[in-house]
Amino acid sequence: MNKKHLGSTLDDFLEEEGRLAEAEAVAAKRVLAFQIAQLMEEQQLSKAEMARRMSTSRAAVDRLLDYDSESATLVTLEKAAAALGRRLHVALV
């Protein structure tokens, strides 16, 4: 057993490996994709209707909802939020 990491957190390990920012970005994208999908379901919006409201393609909506896709831009997220009657809030902390 490697005692170097004994008692440390996952965040500590990821930071030591230089991967914490990447992991946090992936997690944030997955949370946003989940929230968008949930709001679409609540509002009974199809992907086609969401795409129409965002003035984009259905393939772009598929990428937005794909947890593993990293292609979402702030502009795309803003359009999705507006299409759902919401606002996107981004902050540096």
Side-chain angles (χ1 to χ4, degrees):
M1 178 192 294
N2 184 350
K3 295 191 182 222
K4 176 181 177 185
H5 297 294
L6 194 60
S8 66
T9 66
L10 178 59
D11 285 356
D12 293 337
F13 172 75
L14 290 171
E15 186 149 11
E16 285 177 21
E17 297 294 314
R19 302 195 61 189
L20 181 60
E22 176 187 352
E24 288 176 339
V26 168
K29 165 48 169 86
R30 288 181 175 178
V31 167
L32 286 168
F34 175 79
Q35 289 175 334
I36 291 167
Q38 192 172 33
L39 286 166
M40 286 175 63
E41 185 176 325
E42 286 174 13
Q43 296 178 24
Q44 298 178 338
L45 284 180
S46 67
K47 290 179 183 179
E49 177 59 18
M50 184 70 171
R52 187 192 67 73
R53 290 184 182 189
M54 291 175 62
S55 300
T56 192
S57 67
R58 172 143 179 222
V61 173
D62 284 335
R63 286 190 300 275
L64 179 64
L65 297 174
D66 181 355
Y67 294 142
D68 294 323
S69 174
E70 299 174 4
S71 66
T73 64
L74 287 176
V75 171
T76 302
L77 293 170
E78 286 280 358
K79 286 181 178 182
L84 294 164
R86 300 295 178 104
R87 291 183 32 222
L88 179 68
H89 178 82
V90 179
L92 296 174
V93 292

